[in-house]
Amino acid sequence: MTSEVQSITKYDDAAKIQNNVVHLRPSQGSIFRDSSIHFHGTGNVLYVEDGAKLRNCRLRFMGDNAVIHIRKSARFTEVISSVFHDSIFYLGEDASFTSPARLVPSERENIIIGRDAMISSRVASRTADPHLVYSTATHKRINPSRSVWVGDHCWIGEEVLLLKGARIGSGSILGARALVTRQVPSNSSAAGVPAKVVGNDVFWLRPSVHAYTKAQTEKSLEFAGDNFVFTADDSTLNIDALELAISSATTGLEREEWCRTLDSAMGKNRFFMGISG
């Protein structure tokens, strides 16, 4: 990691970054407002899709050969993230944020968020504890870091904390202040500390009911479509295989290519997750 810090606070700064790969440019619909990006290393890759709207973002590469890959959305992206050596922060398309999420992928693990995520206020995630814990009997480390996966169309409630090893299946809901450390199946709701599944076979829609009239409430009592009901099919990805594939990458460019394989996996059920064993 180099001691020289390179920074981006406006689009024009992107062209000045050296020894890192940057795709951040003004384009139709794009915004880069009250945001900054800092490089504390080399070999990193920043990809911000054309048309993305970044607001109140603070992105930091805290080492070498890491990746931040952000897809565009009609809504604002608001993220505070420190990405360490050989790690990835991946954000799928059409995400929304109530306030900046705080995300820290480290120790060569990753935070992966699928498309159409709805992320509420003060959400945080990290892949490490981050300090070392050992067994008194064996003196072996017992707290390895692990990646965090969030599927498509997930609703992450206020002050949710996603810790290492959390895997959230597509279509699921995490209640306010849930602390998640394990797998939540698709089309489930989970809540509590630690989070437990409290509802199965549910799905959710984006419209907010706060200002609903009586007529709107009555109309909302039933929704006939299966748009957000997820099942296993031929498009479902094997997350363990994906993690094995990315573990063999040695450069930021190889990790960015892996991110593009996620971009190209368009199947509705790509991040379906069942009940873990």
Side-chain angles (χ1 to χ4, degrees), residues 191-203:
V193 180
K196 297 180 180 179
V197 173
V198 295
N200 294 297
D201 301 320
V202 299
F203 66 92

Side-chain angles (χ1 to χ4, degrees), residues 63-268:
D64 304 327
N65 301 310
V67 172
I68 295 176
H69 186 99
I70 296 176
R71 300 292 307 277
K72 68 179 179 180
S73 174
R75 310 167 185 93
F76 282 104
T77 295
E78 299 191 65
V79 172
I80 298 172
S81 184
S82 296
V83 183
F84 288 80
H85 293 287
D86 302 331
S87 292
I88 296 171
F89 165 49
Y90 175 98
L91 178 65
E93 64 268 36
D94 297 323
S96 66
F97 297 81
T98 303
S99 70
R102 295 179 177 269
L103 310 173
V104 184
S106 64
E107 203 178 16
R108 301 173 308 284
E109 302 293 342
N110 315 297
I111 294 177
I112 310 297
I113 300 175
R115 56 179 171 253
D116 193 30
M118 189 166 72
I119 300 175
S120 190
S121 304
R122 297 179 293 281
V123 168
S125 179
R126 61 176 184 254
T127 63
D129 283 337
H131 302 291
L132 301 169
V133 179
Y134 295 87
S135 163
T136 58
T138 66
H139 287 226
K140 294 184 181 295
R141 184 178 171 187
I142 58 175
N143 68 331
S145 298
R146 294 181 63 195
S147 293
V148 171
W149 288 76
V150 177
D152 297 324
H153 189 69
C154 289
W155 176 2
I156 312 300
E158 188 171 13
E159 295 185 1
V160 164
L161 180 56
L162 298 167
L163 295 183
K164 61 177 189 176
R167 292 185 177 183
I168 315 304
S170 295
S172 289
I173 304 165
L174 301 182
R177 298 183 178 176
L179 187 153
V180 188
T181 62
R182 56 194 308 174
Q183 184 159 306
V184 175
S186 293
N187 293 115
S188 298
S189 57
V193 180
K196 297 180 180 179
V197 173
V198 295
N200 294 297
D201 301 320
V202 299
F203 66 92
W204 64 274
L205 305 179
R206 275 188 174 271
S208 173
V209 304
H210 287 311
Y212 265 20
T213 64
K214 181 179 180 180
Q216 287 174 307
T217 295
E218 290 176 350
K219 184 179 179 180
S220 74
L221 296 180
E222 185 173 351
F223 180 82
D226 287 332
N227 311 51
F228 303 111
V229 177
F230 298 89
T231 58
D233 64 16
D234 291 342
S235 71
T236 302
L237 301 172
N238 184 318
I239 291 178
D240 290 332
L242 286 171
E243 291 207 338
L244 182 62
I246 193 55
S247 68
S248 65
T250 59
T251 68
L253 287 173
E254 289 176 354
R255 292 183 178 88
E256 170 60 13
E257 184 62 30
W258 180 89
C259 289
R260 292 183 183 273
T261 66
L262 292 188
D263 290 348
S264 63
M266 297 302 294
K268 172 185 173 182

